[in-house]
């Protein structure tokens, strides 16, 4: 079974978002990498993660476009949200956007409508951007819009997708949080062991937060 077939089986096809070819045409990608990206969907929402697969240059993001800053070849594919509200209880169609709209599109829509909607604005201003990093072996990183720091997510888009599948399967298999995290951590050692070399990385921070939540902190 291909990774995308597995993704479709776990999340169902209608809940996945794919990159548009015209977005990738603007990026210097090999035909093999481009084909791989186009064939892989990610869930629009999973936990605090929300994916758009828009591949917008981070320099065009309203929070990162200052001329003095340089982030290299980073292209947004999603975000780690501030809350789990958008896509579940609050929907982007309320402001005329589809469910996988990027933070940049949300910001532009808020400006167009002259809105200061608190939840949407918080996401634009505070959510970590998840990006493809072309300058470092096509790894996946996140950028904190507050301090502009860059953290590690996965070694590749495929490993990000496999990590998401593993996380969801472990969540469904175990009700106990510690059993769920043990299962997920074991799978991650096989999928992308580099995750465990980054204390500030996306997946280790998710694991730590779930443990804290389970302990009542």
């Amino acid at each position: 079974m291909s990774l995308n077939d597995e993704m479709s089986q776990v999340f169902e096809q209608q809940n996945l978002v794919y990159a548009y070819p015209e977005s990738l045409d603007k990026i210097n990608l090999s035909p093999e990498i481009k084909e791989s990206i186009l064939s892989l969907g990610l869930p629009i929402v999973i936990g605090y993660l929300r994916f758009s697969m828009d591949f917008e240059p981070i320099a065009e993001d309203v929070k990162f476009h200052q001329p003095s800053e340089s982030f290299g070849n980073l292209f947004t594919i999603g975000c780690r949200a501030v809350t789990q509200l958008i896509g579940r209880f609050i929907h982007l169609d309320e402001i005329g956007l589809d469910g996988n709209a990027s933070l940049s599109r949300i910001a532009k829509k808020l400006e167009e409508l002259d809105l200061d909607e608190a939840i949407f604005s918080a996401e634009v201003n505070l959510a970590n951007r998840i990006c493809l990093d072309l300058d470092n072996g096509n790894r996946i990183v996140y950028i904190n819009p507050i301090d502009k720091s860059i953290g590690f997510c996965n070694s590749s888009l495929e490993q990000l997708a496999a990590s998401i599948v593993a996380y969801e399967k472990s969540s469904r298999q175990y009700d106990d949080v510690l059993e769920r995290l043990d299962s997920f951590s074991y799978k991650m050692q096989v999928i992308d062991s580099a995750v465990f070399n980054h204390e500030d990385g996306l997946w280790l921070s998710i694991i730590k937060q779930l443990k804290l939540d389970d302990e009542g902190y």
Side-chain angles (χ1 to χ4, degrees):
M1 180 184 295
S2 71
L3 180 56
N4 190 67
D5 287 342
E6 191 172 15
M7 185 72 75
S8 299
Q9 184 181 76
V10 171
F11 294 100
E12 298 186 356
Q13 188 66 38
Q14 67 269 24
N15 297 318
L16 301 181
V17 58
Y18 291 81
Y20 289 106
E22 52 268 29
S23 298
L24 299 185
D25 288 341
K26 304 173 185 177
I27 306 174
N28 185 22
L29 297 169
S30 70
E32 294 77 18
I33 294 293
K34 181 177 178 181
E35 182 179 353
S36 175
I37 292 173
L38 290 173
S39 67
L40 183 61
L42 294 182
I44 296 174
V45 177
I46 172 175
Y48 282 89
L49 305 182
R50 195 171 64 81
F51 292 99
S52 55
M53 295 292 273
D54 53 303
F55 289 88
E56 179 183 58
I58 197 67
E60 296 179 12
D61 189 305
V62 295
K63 298 298 293 184
F64 298 91
H65 69 270
Q66 291 86 346
S68 62
E69 295 175 343
S70 175
F71 294 98
N73 286 313
L74 297 175
F75 299 87
T76 305
I77 62 171
C79 67
R80 184 179 184 184
V82 177
T83 73
Q84 296 189 51
L85 294 175
I86 293 180
R88 288 187 171 88
F89 303 105
I90 298 175
H91 300 284
L92 288 169
D93 59 10
E94 295 176 16
I95 58 171
L97 294 173
D98 50 31
N100 63 300
S102 66
L103 293 172
S104 183
R105 286 176 60 203
I106 292 173
K108 291 170 184 174
K109 192 68 175 181
L110 292 176
E111 183 178 356
E112 175 188 322
L113 298 175
D114 195 23
L115 285 179
D116 186 25
E117 213 293 336
I119 292 295
F120 296 131
S121 295
E123 294 297 342
V124 170
N125 292 320
L126 302 175
N128 291 339
R129 277 62 169 167
I130 299 175
C131 303
L132 173 69
D133 181 2
L134 290 188
D135 288 338
N136 292 280
N138 297 327
R139 67 178 182 167
I140 305 299
V141 300
Y142 70 85
I143 307 180
N144 185 322
I146 304 302
D147 61 13
K148 308 301 191 292
S149 60
I150 298 177
F152 181 83
C153 293
N154 281 103
S155 300
S156 70
L157 182 63
E158 289 78 10
Q159 285 161 301
L160 170 65
S163 299
I164 290 170
V165 169
Y167 179 84
E168 182 67 14
K169 284 186 173 182
S170 294
S171 297
R172 294 182 186 183
Q173 187 175 359
Y174 298 101
D175 292 326
D176 180 80
V177 172
L178 293 181
E179 287 183 325
R180 184 187 310 163
L181 294 179
D182 284 345
S183 169
F184 176 62
S185 296
Y186 176 79
K187 292 174 182 176
M188 287 300 296
Q189 289 283 2
V190 177
I191 293 169
D192 191 4
S193 61
V195 163
F196 297 95
N197 299 330
H198 300 268
E199 286 295 323
D200 63 344
L202 175 75
W203 290 111
L204 286 190
S205 69
I206 288 174
I207 289 172
K208 289 176 184 176
Q209 187 58 54
L210 287 172
K211 286 181 179 178
L212 288 174
D213 291 346
D214 185 54
E215 293 167 359
Y217 291 99

